[in-house]
Amino acid sequence: MGAHTDQAEGIALPLSVDRREATPLPDQIGQGLRTLIADGALRPGDAVPSTRRLAGHLGVSRGSVETAYAQLGVEGFLVGAERSATRVNPDLPAAARSPHSRPRISTSPRRRLRSYVDLRPGFGGDDPLREPAFRRAWRDSLDLDPGPIDPVGQPGARWAIAEYLRLARGMTVDPDEIILTSGSRDGLRLLLGIGVNGAIAVENPGFPGLRQAMADHDLVPLDVAEGAPAPTGVGAAVVTPNHQFPHGTPMPVDQRVRLLDWAAEHDIILVEDDYDSEARFTRTVLPTLYDLASSAGSDAQVVHIGTFSTLLTSSVSTGYLISHGEIADRLVEMRTALGPAYSPILQMAIGSYLGSGGLRRRISRGRRRLRVAEKIVAEVGEIPGLVHEGRTLVIETSRDEAARLLRRLADRGILVASLARGWTGGDEARHGLVIAHSNVEAEVLRNALTVVQSLLSRIES
């Protein structure tokens, strides 16, 4: 723990950070500055130290201070101008300076695991908040006027997403067809808000990510395999054609066409959850359901849900919807009624990051990690029960052994997914582990797989 007193324009700033705390350093710095403002140690118009100077005194990265300043700028506590020091907002209301107005920060238990390896599908990857391109995009957004607020999404952000989809996914999308969301679940709730007649079919097995957002609806299992009986009384179906659970393999094109035909025939809304596709593509990109429906003039209603939360971090919950069919106008009306999904300033930052090619470079790094991860898996040697058919590792065990392995790995700081969570329930559920091996760097993966291998070997013996 380090306490420091800094000087900016003659103002003493006693700030402290504690690396033992689970609270991220930027949050600690931000809260410390809010406290100084609330206590009157910093007054409206006062200058705060430069990011470089404060970072040096606190012994933290400059990015941590920049992130804290950027957040305080969004909240209205700080203001900055070109070639001028960052200052406490001269027009900060008195209520915002009251000690009673300080946000309450809950403290985390001391026993909380601080450092872990996250090998769960949909998680992990390198921290974008440390990435210069992302921080630069965030800083730049604070100096730009977002213009009139569009509840569907700021035009610049929607244009940047359309360009990104064209370059990274080969999708031709009109920016006006894009609706911004605060992530996949927000997109799904937006759809459910306009009403779904009947139950919702979910893939069985399928990625469990969106099921929690549908807990108040009747869910029925959907088997997308050829010849499988189709459920009846369904108003919508949630599928992940570009990343089938649990192996991460894509759905063949003929199955996609059959799915569209089934949806069109029975007036079923197809929800295409594209939660992890961009980061995992290593071969030719198959057309999305949205692409197929648009190019073929299908009568099927398709809602394509995309998210940047997986590629960036859940702390930057952002995403988008693209829809085909008459449902598109209804979704726009609902988004307009609810208002913007997230801050226009953050929208501009995401748009700037996409436009600079930052996300495409991030995806390229993820692809390189995947290629290296494949080599590590081969070098580690035999892992009992391992099935490796797609973009994730699947290890099948008994129910009890799966639960025991999940606990033991978590105790060692390794988080993996439960295979059983992919099933809607019943006796057909299988048990074991699902491991997204491209989430981490080579040596971290090697060590984690060695632990998995050791635990499984003990079970086998």
Side-chain angles (χ1 to χ4, degrees), residues 169 242 250 256 281-287 391:
R169 301 294 308 277
N242 297 314
R256 299 179 189 226
F281 280 141
T282 56
R283 298 183 180 89
T284 302
V285 179
L286 292 175
R391 295 191 292 270

Side-chain angles (χ1 to χ4, degrees), residues 185-245:
R185 294 186 185 183
D186 177 53
L188 181 61
R189 294 306 303 182
L190 184 68
L191 169 64
L192 298 179
I194 67 176
V196 172
N197 298 321
I200 300 176
V202 293
E203 286 176 314
N204 188 42
F207 185 68
L210 289 182
R211 289 186 188 170
Q212 291 180 345
M214 300 183 286
D216 54 345
H217 284 72
D218 182 22
L219 304 182
V220 298
L222 171 66
D223 189 342
V224 297
E226 183 178 2
T232 58
V234 170
V238 179
V239 295
T240 57
N242 297 314
H243 194 149
Q244 296 277 271
F245 186 89

Side-chain angles (χ1 to χ4, degrees), residues 415-427:
L415 304 183
V416 299
S418 167
L419 178 62
R421 288 194 64 211
W423 274 262
T424 56
D427 296 335

Side-chain angles (χ1 to χ4, degrees), residues 27 138 184 190 194 206 282 315 322 324 372 379 405-406 433 436:
D27 292 350
W138 179 253
S184 296
L190 184 68
I194 67 176
T282 56
S315 300
I322 314 169
H324 171 80
V372 172
E379 292 171 3
L405 282 167
L406 287 166
L433 312 178

